[in-house]
């Protein structure tokens, strides 16, 4: 995996167990689903604040079933985050969107690689929100299978 900010659509490319699986549909006690998308846990952590805004009980280590209509609100919020990031905001304003205590990269490390990280994070958000919109057309739930 070249960038930690990558949405993986092929389960065969998942390198280890430190991935969050996002599965179309309800939880069925099955992992490593071909129709799921996967994120390195440190990359998915950048979505923590946004997801918790709509699903306060969300925990990255647990299974969380989320209704499609809630996912569409999360997707809209993620698109707002992507737009905000595209404005090259000062680091202090990123704290509203990103809980740096939840991500692997520290505030200082993110600041050091800010342009690269922002570009890659925007790409990941765009890819994920397209996927969410498509899945919500046919599924009532999308489930996060935590690490």
């Amino acid at each position: 995996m070249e960038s930690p900010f990558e949405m993986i659509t092929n389960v065969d490319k998942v390198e280890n167990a430190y991935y969050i699986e996002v599965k179309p549909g309800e939880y069925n006690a099955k992992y490593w689903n071909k129709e799921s998308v996967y994120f390195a846990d440190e990359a998915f952590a950048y979505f923590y604040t946004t997801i918790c805004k709509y699903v306060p009980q969300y925990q990255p280590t647990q299974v969380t079933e989320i209704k499609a209509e809630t996912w569409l609100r999360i997707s809209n919020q993620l698109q707002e985050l992507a737009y905000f990031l595209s404005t090259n905001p000062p680091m202090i304003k990123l704290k509203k969107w990103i809980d740096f205590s939840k991500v692997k990269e520290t505030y200082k490390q993110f600041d050091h690689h800010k342009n690269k990280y922002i570009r890659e994070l925007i790409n990941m958000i765009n890819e994920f929100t397209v996927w969410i919109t498509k899945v919500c057309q046919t599924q009532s739930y999308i489930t996060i299978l935590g690490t």
Side-chain angles (χ1 to χ4, degrees):
M1 183 171 69
E2 293 175 15
S3 167
F5 301 105
E6 179 181 11
M7 184 176 90
I8 299 171
T9 57
N10 181 346
V11 68
D12 296 331
K13 292 186 177 180
V14 177
E15 298 172 348
N16 57 49
Y18 299 106
Y19 281 80
I20 300 287
E21 178 177 353
V22 184
K23 175 194 167 312
E26 296 179 71
Y27 179 60
N28 61 0
K30 185 175 181 270
Y31 288 78
W32 310 110
N33 298 280
K34 289 190 183 301
E35 68 278 6
S36 295
V37 292
Y38 300 84
F39 298 87
D41 57 355
E42 68 263 22
F44 202 77
Y46 284 87
F47 299 155
Y48 180 82
T49 301
T50 301
I51 292 170
C52 284
K53 182 174 181 176
Y54 298 97
V55 186
Q57 72 275 17
Y58 169 67
Q59 290 297 319
T61 57
Q62 297 176 358
V63 171
T64 309
E65 288 182 331
I66 302 173
K67 288 184 177 183
E69 50 271 18
T70 304
W71 269 112
L72 292 172
R73 288 195 288 278
I74 291 168
S75 178
N76 287 337
Q77 191 74 31
L78 288 172
Q79 289 170 346
E80 284 185 38
L81 171 58
Y83 174 76
F84 172 74
L85 291 169
S86 74
T87 67
N88 195 23
M91 283 297 294
I92 194 75
K93 291 192 175 185
L94 281 178
K95 288 183 178 184
K96 174 187 171 199
W97 293 90
I98 298 168
D99 182 348
F100 282 95
S101 71
K102 300 287 184 199
V103 298
K104 186 177 179 181
E105 296 294 323
T106 65
Y107 180 87
K108 196 173 193 176
Q109 289 168 319
F110 191 96
D111 190 26
H112 183 71
H113 301 286
K114 184 179 172 193
N115 291 336
K116 179 181 189 298
Y117 283 6
I118 283 178
R119 186 174 57 252
E120 293 175 358
L121 186 52
I122 289 170
N123 288 339
M124 186 176 75
I125 289 169
N126 289 339
E127 198 174 358
F128 188 40
T129 56
V130 166
W131 183 87
I132 291 168
T133 302
K134 183 179 175 190
V135 170
C136 286
Q137 291 172 0
T138 60
Q139 299 290 328
S140 299
Y141 287 86
I142 298 175
T143 302
I144 301 171
L145 304 173
T147 54

